[in-house]
Amino acid sequence: MGLLINGQWENTTDNEIKRGAFVRTKVTFGAAIDQTTQSRLLDAPDAFALIASPSCPWSHAATLTWVLKGLSDKITYQRAIGPRVQGYALDPTGPVAQSLGAAHAHQLYTATRSDYTGRVTVPILWDIPEQRIICNESTHIIKALDAFGEGPKLCPDNAAPALSVYLSKIYDGLSNAVYRAGLAQRQDVYDTAVDQVFETMADLDRHLSDRRFLLGESLTVADLRLFATLVRFDTVYVTHFRCTRHRLTEFENLWLHTRRIYNMPGVADTVDFDEIMRGYFLNDGDHNPRGIVSQPPAIDWSLP
């Protein structure tokens, strides 16, 4: 993937593989969004942009929040797409790319801090007039969008303890575990990760047997996190990340849960399977050196 070192892009460095295991590094601009910025979001949301990649599940959860909270006509959206020659590229037709004259997401990082060293990740909450990154931690971005968007709260305060449990479970056992499986460089690391993936899926499938969503009848951010991983599961994680033991469609309740969210108004428009497949298959030279994109599985997402 590469990273920035003192403001210069370096393609060959990779600091996320340690002793054959994938270790996700912390984001740099990951502090909680302060009250001053939150107030600016309320007063002038058009001063901000959400920069997200259709292929990235962490971006996808933020994009889903942006759509479901009715913010698509208030906060600007900039797609990060295309081959990652220097990390995430910016859609050249997007508003942030055009206003800043930027071709790569890393240029947003050096615009914010000229000597930045570290990985370049999305999603990003971008301050348009000040031309700087406000935050690149999806959790804080989602909370900020949820705070003033329309409709029911995705991060309700009265459900915080239960949300914390399920968000940790989904991250540790599924969303990050598929990466630990797919990027493993040792057999034991891969086996441990795959076991955890399917134990977590089986547990969540049982949990959803008598409820619509993870916390009951109301959609929360935990459901969005789960959806962002599961909607990619059969398309890229089964094959490219070698999580081959089962498909999503074999888990009755998880499959129903994923379709239920997919068929909510506006959600299907956020799911770009072509970009998801290109994002994984074309940007992983170790596992797919010839850049062959797998054919998508035959899945009917319109099932009721």
Side-chain angles (χ1 to χ4, degrees):
M1 283 287 291
L3 47 77
L4 282 167
I5 299 177
N6 294 323
Q8 300 298 313
W9 183 258
E10 171 58 63
N11 266 322
T12 59
T13 303
D14 189 338
N15 64 354
E16 289 195 326
I17 301 297
K18 299 177 181 178
R19 294 188 295 278
F22 170 73
V23 180
R24 191 176 298 278
T25 54
K26 292 183 178 180
V27 297
T28 303
F29 300 103
I33 296 173
D34 60 40
Q35 190 57 51
T36 299
T37 303
Q38 192 73 57
S39 297
R40 287 182 61 213
L41 272 167
L42 288 168
D43 295 337
D46 58 350
F48 298 88
L50 174 64
I51 300 163
S53 167
S55 68
C56 166
W58 280 267
S59 282
H60 198 178
T63 303
L64 287 166
T65 305
W66 175 76
V67 168
L68 293 172
K69 297 294 290 188
L71 299 172
S72 58
D73 62 346
K74 298 177 182 177
I75 293 178
T76 300
Y77 183 74
Q78 166 74 57
R79 296 210 310 166
I81 60 172
R84 295 176 202 166
V85 178
Q86 294 183 29
Y88 284 101
L90 299 178
D91 181 349
T93 67
V96 175
Q98 291 190 342
S99 66
L100 194 64
H104 306 283
H106 71 70
Q107 292 170 275
L108 308 182
Y109 280 70
T110 52
T112 305
R113 186 182 300 168
S114 61
D115 62 348
Y116 175 80
T117 293
R119 287 196 166 271
V120 173
T121 63
V122 288
I124 293 168
L125 184 63
W126 177 254
D127 189 314
I128 296 172
E130 295 185 11
Q131 294 193 341
R132 67 183 182 93
I133 294 172
I134 295 295
C135 183
N136 67 344
E137 169 53 66
S138 62
T139 298
H140 297 318
I141 294 173
I142 288 169
K143 287 181 178 178
L145 299 181
D146 185 46
F148 77 97
E150 302 169 357
K153 293 295 183 184
L154 297 171
C155 308
D157 292 338
N158 62 357
L163 268 180
S164 179
V165 169
Y166 279 98
L167 287 170
S168 295
K169 183 181 186 70
I170 292 163
Y171 176 83
D172 293 332
L174 185 56
S175 300
N176 196 50
V178 293
Y179 277 80
R180 289 191 286 108
L183 301 179
Q185 296 181 358
R186 288 186 359 222
Q187 185 69 46
D188 60 325
V189 171
Y190 162 78
D191 289 337
T192 298
V194 169
D195 287 345
Q196 191 170 16
V197 166
F198 289 106
E199 287 169 5
T200 301
M201 290 180 73
D203 189 36
L204 291 172
D205 190 68
R206 287 189 294 269
H207 177 74
L208 287 165
S209 64
D210 60 353
R211 65 200 71 204
R212 287 175 59 81
F213 300 110
L214 289 170
L215 269 63
E217 293 302 305
S218 298
L219 180 77
T220 69
V221 64
D223 298 290
L224 300 188
R225 293 289 196 191
L226 180 58
F227 173 84
T229 294
L230 293 183
V231 78
R232 291 160 171 74
F233 197 81
D234 288 2
T235 302
V236 291
Y237 298 147
V238 168
T239 52
H240 190 56
F241 277 2
R242 301 189 295 268
C243 295
T244 51
R245 189 182 304 169
H246 297 291
R247 292 178 59 186
L248 165 65
T249 51
E250 296 175 41
F251 293 92
E252 179 181 0
N253 301 309
L254 285 178
W255 174 219
L256 176 61
H257 178 272
T258 309
R259 293 201 317 277
R260 178 175 289 132
I261 296 175
Y262 183 87
N263 286 284
M264 289 180 173
V267 170
D269 291 337
T270 72
V271 182
D272 186 339
F273 284 113
D274 288 339
E275 190 62 31
I276 287 170
M277 289 188 293
R278 287 192 295 265
Y280 284 88
F281 286 101
L282 297 183
N283 294 296
D284 188 354
D286 287 344
H287 292 162
N288 192 25
R290 299 190 183 277
I292 295 173
V293 179
S294 175
Q295 292 189 5
I299 298 178
D300 185 358
W301 287 96
S302 67
L303 287 171

